[in-house]
Amino acid sequence: MYPLRRESDGAGDAGGMSLALWIGKDGQIQEQYNARPKVGVCMRVGTMFPRSYRAQDWWQTTQITEILEEKENYVRFRTNNSIYEWWTPE
C-alpha cells in the first residue's frame, strides 16, 4: 500500500499502485511501476482497478520540482503547486 497525501488539505489516495509518469525523449508517456517520487515525474497513487462510483480510483500529482526530505520509506516533495508526502509500509 502506497499512501500519498497533500499537506495543505490532506487530499490524496492510497493503494497498491505507485506509478511515475513522464514524457520521454520520443514525446511518448513513459511509466515506471512501484516507483518512488523523483524530480521530473508526476506520481499516480491508488488502484489500477475501479473501486466504485462513490470513490476515486487514484490521485495524480503535477510534475515534481524538488525533493524536500527523503528517507528509506518516506519522501516529502514539492510539485508545481503543492507539497506532498509519499511513504511505503515498513
Side-chain angles (χ1 to χ4, degrees):
M1 182 78 76
Y2 299 98
L4 176 71
R5 186 183 70 81
R6 186 169 53 201
E7 282 190 354
S8 63
D9 59 3
D13 205 345
M17 173 181 62
S18 181
L19 178 66
L21 301 159
W22 69 96
I23 304 296
K25 293 181 183 188
D26 61 358
Q28 299 296 312
I29 296 174
Q30 305 294 307
E31 303 174 337
Q32 179 185 1
Y33 287 89
N34 299 316
R36 290 176 63 87
K38 61 184 177 182
V39 172
V41 305
C42 300
M43 291 300 297
R44 183 182 293 174
V45 169
T47 180
M48 292 186 286
F49 308 105
R51 291 181 179 153
S52 75
Y53 291 110
R54 296 178 56 157
Q56 67 194 27
D57 294 329
W58 44 262
W59 187 273
Q60 183 171 316
T61 71
T62 57
Q63 188 176 44
I64 296 173
T65 58
E66 180 182 5
I67 301 297
L68 302 171
E69 182 179 354
E70 188 166 15
K71 298 178 184 173
E72 184 178 344
N73 295 321
Y74 173 84
V75 181
R76 183 170 174 256
F77 60 91
R78 182 184 310 277
T79 66
N80 292 332
N81 52 12
S82 298
I83 294 176
Y84 284 91
E85 293 179 297
W86 172 99
W87 62 97
T88 62
E90 298 196 28

